[in-house]
Amino acid sequence: MSDGPAAPVIAIDGPSGSGKGTIAALVAARLGWRLLDSGALYRIVAWAALARGIPLDDPQRLAAMTRALAIEQGATAVRVDGVDVTTAIREERISVGAAAVATLPEVRQTLRGVQQGMRVAPGLIADGRDMGTEVFRDAELKIYLDASVEERARRRHKQLMEKGSSVSLRDLFASIQARDRSDRNRAVSPLRRAPDAISIDTTEMSVEAVVAEVLKHVEARGLTAGRAREGEGSRGGE
């Protein structure tokens, strides 16, 4: 572990369906930085717990299990202990389980170490709900993406329809509203905009327009594509 400055971080937070996952992946690709999908980590915990028969309300066992997992999060695939779980962790039962384990302080604390360990040169794009408020409070740039509930439900409905799933738009609207309430009112790391975050309402914006807006702020902060900030050289992980 280097004693030098930590690699730069761009934190992209926001509610479900705001587009943060898509935008984070595209920005990471444009900059040549590493991508952290924090939501996938909670899905991994839920998937692993269900596969092992560990109750989702047993924080001590869940934390111990999480510490033992070998997690590989690449640009296109996610592996746990060498097993490709990219598709498996997107199942609806895993989504429900991920929301449950995300409320547990012991799990969040354990995963925080995993997340911070991904902070390596040339930089990290961190996508989640508490990246800028908790995990990377010192991020060089914090973005908070949002969109109307109607638009977020429409986007999710389109995704599911393209995958062959039949879910009513009304049910998705209600589900997103419920998830918003849960995320914003949970006792541990609630969803909120960091005071120093830049808010972008993506409701009426195309994906490319949002990426361009984020990159405009990246340039304004002096963060350069594919490497650490000018003059600081190569920086080690935290």
Side-chain angles (χ1 to χ4, degrees):
M1 182 178 296
S2 171
D3 292 329
V9 174
I10 297 173
I12 301 181
D13 290 314
S16 176
S18 59
K20 61 185 183 296
T22 298
I23 301 305
L26 290 172
V27 171
R30 298 285 180 88
L31 295 178
W33 288 15
R34 188 168 185 177
L35 174 66
L36 162 59
D37 177 356
S38 66
L41 295 179
Y42 291 98
R43 289 174 176 273
I44 286 169
V45 172
W47 174 85
L50 291 172
R52 292 162 172 75
I54 298 175
L56 298 182
D57 58 355
D58 188 333
Q60 300 303 329
R61 290 181 66 190
L62 288 171
M65 176 202 74
T66 301
R67 284 191 289 271
L69 296 176
I71 300 173
E72 302 171 59
Q73 194 176 81
T76 59
V78 178
R79 292 182 173 81
V80 178
D81 296 336
V83 178
D84 188 328
V85 298
T86 310
T87 300
I89 63 172
R90 298 297 167 181
E91 295 177 4
E92 185 57 30
R93 69 188 184 97
I94 303 301
S95 297
V96 174
V101 300
T103 65
L104 303 174
E106 295 85 352
V107 172
R108 299 195 74 88
Q109 185 61 36
T110 301
L111 285 180
R112 183 173 299 185
V114 174
Q115 293 162 350
Q116 292 175 339
M118 295 177 70
R119 186 175 191 169
V120 296
L124 178 69
I125 308 297
D127 149 34
R129 288 177 172 80
D130 64 347
M131 296 296 98
T133 56
E134 295 292 341
V135 182
F136 300 108
R137 295 182 181 180
D138 61 342
E140 276 75 0
L141 175 62
K142 298 177 184 179
I143 301 291
Y144 186 87
L145 299 183
D146 206 349
S148 68
V149 178
E150 293 83 359
E151 175 62 15
R152 289 188 281 136
R154 187 195 66 78
R155 291 172 184 172
R156 181 59 176 159
H157 185 259
K158 181 181 178 182
Q159 289 177 339
L160 292 173
M161 291 294 287
E162 289 173 348
K163 293 179 180 179
S165 299
S166 179
V167 181
S168 76
L169 190 57
R170 177 180 297 179
D171 288 345
L172 284 173
F173 182 88
S175 175
I176 288 175
Q177 282 188 313
R179 180 63 185 270
D180 284 352
R181 286 193 296 271
S182 174
D183 287 341
R184 288 174 175 141
N185 295 311
R186 69 189 179 206
V188 181
S189 299
L191 171 66
R192 57 187 175 86
R193 183 181 68 84
D196 54 343
I198 295 168
S199 293
I200 302 175
D201 187 333
T202 70
T203 304
E204 302 292 338
M205 298 176 70
S206 67
V207 169
E208 188 54 42
V210 179
V211 170
E213 180 70 11
V214 172
L215 290 176
K216 180 184 75 175
H217 294 292
V218 170
E219 181 67 23
R221 298 295 173 94
L223 300 171
T224 53
R227 55 190 168 89
R229 288 179 295 183
E230 186 175 348
E232 293 185 349
S234 177
R235 296 190 278 186
E238 182 176 73

